Amino acid sequence: MRRAPALLINTADIELWPGGLLRARSNADARALAQARWVLRRKRDGRYLAVATAHGVLPLVPRLMREDGIEAALDALDQQALAHRRSAVADSTLLPLSGLQQRLAQLDIDADGYGRPLWLRRSAARGWQRLQLAAAAEGVALDAISGYRSHAYQLGIFERKRARGLAVDDILQVNAAPGYSEHHSGFALDIGTPGEPPAEESFEHTAAFAWLQGNAGRFGFQLSYPRDNPHGIVYEPWHWCWRAGSPVG
Ligand SMILES: [Zn+2]
């Protein structure tokens, strides 16, 4: 079942409006609203604070992270995205599958993001650099496997796996549908360690994972999909996400 989108997400200080419902008050607002999936609006005076786009949160005010209630609003946004992703996993008809077969022939790469340049939002990248250095200082080697991925790139992962004969339902067990990956945010990072195959559950038995569990939080990173997570997403010990409002800015 495809659930109807919520019209408004209400938090104590900030409302979240779906893109396309609010009227722009300036050219700058208009440009931002044009790409907004959600608009964060200050309740007190109606000021637009930020828009959430496919590529992350775009502030419309200076010092967005100091706004009252911003963390609660961003948490609500995260929850909404996860609920959306969960419904996508449950309903594969949301996938743009038509025309896939025709595009398959054009694909000649067989790498799910490995060996490509790493892209992360600045705050997340800073946190990752500090985390990696701190781990190295304690003799733990960590590699970044995959950070930001565009929708097109995520679709490419699906296409390559379809080309190998995997069913859509099976792909959805391990890859989010295009548009629903936390990697689209630029805050998510897949982490590996030398000598270990990338993005495998066996990562949980490494010293690297033990170190992350004890220390990643200090650098703002959290495990997005622990074992038996409430989102029904497969356990991913390698997938970590930097959260706004985390201790390292
Ligand atoms: Zn990941």
Side-chain angles (χ1 to χ4, degrees):
M1 286 294 288
R2 183 172 184 175
R3 79 185 64 190
L7 267 185
L8 178 71
I9 302 172
N10 215 348
T11 65
D13 302 298
I14 298 173
E15 296 164 339
L16 287 84
W17 289 74
L21 289 184
L22 296 179
R23 197 174 307 164
R25 291 153 186 180
S26 69
N27 287 337
D29 279 356
R31 275 193 298 277
L33 261 53
Q35 48 173 321
R37 289 184 167 177
W38 291 92
V39 181
L40 280 65
R41 181 176 179 271
R42 195 194 277 148
K43 277 190 186 174
R44 182 157 44 82
D45 58 2
R47 172 101 188 249
Y48 300 158
L49 298 175
V51 294
T53 74
H55 303 294
V57 173
L58 201 71
L60 300 177
V61 294
R63 302 200 173 118
L64 173 67
M65 294 314 296
R66 295 197 189 161
E67 282 291 326
D68 287 340
I70 186 67
E71 289 184 27
L74 293 176
D75 281 351
L77 201 60
D78 280 350
Q79 290 308 310
Q80 190 279 338
L82 283 168
H84 207 78
R85 176 173 165 179
R86 189 170 45 206
S87 72
V89 169
D91 181 0
S92 60
T93 61
L94 287 177
L95 270 177
L97 284 180
S98 58
L100 267 194
Q101 294 302 330
Q102 291 90 318
R103 287 186 61 185
L104 293 179
Q106 305 163 0
L107 299 166
D108 55 358
I109 327 159
D110 191 30
D112 289 352
Y114 311 121
R116 290 169 169 260
L118 174 74
W119 291 90
L120 283 177
R121 303 222 156 241
R122 191 182 302 172
S123 51
R126 221 183 284 139
W128 161 243
Q129 282 165 0
R130 293 187 198 189
L131 180 153
Q132 194 181 27
L133 280 174
E138 294 181 31
V140 175
L142 299 177
D143 297 325
I145 296 169
S146 180
Y148 169 75
R149 296 181 203 144
S150 68
H151 291 196
Y153 186 78
Q154 194 76 4
L155 181 59
I157 291 177
F158 268 71
E159 291 174 339
R160 287 192 295 280
K161 292 195 171 181
R162 292 281 288 152
R164 273 184 248 145
L166 274 82
V168 169
D169 284 347
D170 293 333
I171 305 173
L172 284 170
Q173 290 294 310
V174 272
N175 293 103
Y180 298 92
S181 169
E182 211 174 43
H183 285 280
H184 298 327
S185 71
F187 293 109
L189 178 66
D190 292 340
I191 299 176
T193 194
E196 212 26 60
E200 294 285 343
E201 202 172 295
S202 58
F203 182 66
E204 75 170 328
H205 301 301
T206 63
F209 182 68
W211 190 91
L212 285 167
Q213 279 197 304
N215 297 280
R218 285 196 285 128
F219 301 91
F221 283 88
Q222 291 172 14
L223 192 64
S224 295
Y225 310 115
R227 199 185 285 286
D228 301 321
N229 63 77
H231 314 297
I233 291 168
V234 74
Y235 175 48
E236 294 189 356
W238 61 87
H239 179 109
W240 296 74
C241 193
W242 189 89
R243 304 285 175 196
S246 296
V248 177

